[in-house]
Amino acid sequence: MDYLSLLYTVLSRGLDIYSTLIIVYILMSWFPGAYQSKFGQILSTICEPYLNFFRRFIPPIGMINFSGIVALIVLNLAKSGLFSLFQLIARIIS
């Protein structure tokens, strides 16, 4: 049971870290040239594949792109689903 808890904690923290990276990447759009920096390029490599999936389905409205918000909501839902899944597994094992 301790391994199950450890696995949940690692996966949950991973989703938290990825969400934070996406927030930082989205906020970088407010600063000119931030995406061209080395840090911006690294974040682009990490975040763009996930964000591009949502950009295909959610077009920008005017100058505002809501795909990042939807991507964060989906990550949050995945984290909630992960919690529910691990609770179910813990009940089955017990």
Side-chain angles (χ1 to χ4, degrees):
M1 185 92 144
D2 290 326
Y3 293 114
L4 191 62
S5 176
L6 177 64
L7 180 61
Y8 170 74
T9 302
V10 168
L11 291 174
S12 177
R13 296 292 170 143
L15 289 174
D16 287 340
I17 291 168
Y18 196 64
S19 294
T20 303
L21 291 175
I22 289 174
I23 291 170
V24 169
Y25 185 71
I26 291 169
L27 291 177
M28 286 176 67
S29 68
W30 295 355
F31 302 99
Y35 289 135
Q36 287 74 33
S37 70
K38 188 65 174 171
F39 181 68
Q41 291 172 357
I42 292 170
L43 279 183
S44 175
T45 303
I46 295 169
C47 299
E48 278 298 322
Y50 180 68
L51 291 174
N52 281 337
F53 174 78
F54 294 97
R55 288 184 185 136
R56 282 186 277 172
F57 303 107
I58 304 166
I61 299 173
M63 297 290 290
I64 301 173
N65 188 349
F66 290 102
S67 60
I69 295 169
V70 174
L72 288 171
I73 290 170
V74 169
L75 275 179
N76 194 19
L77 289 173
K79 185 177 175 186
S80 297
L82 186 68
F83 178 72
S84 298
L85 178 66
F86 273 85
Q87 277 187 328
L88 179 66
I89 292 170
R91 283 186 199 142
I92 291 171
I93 292 174
S94 296

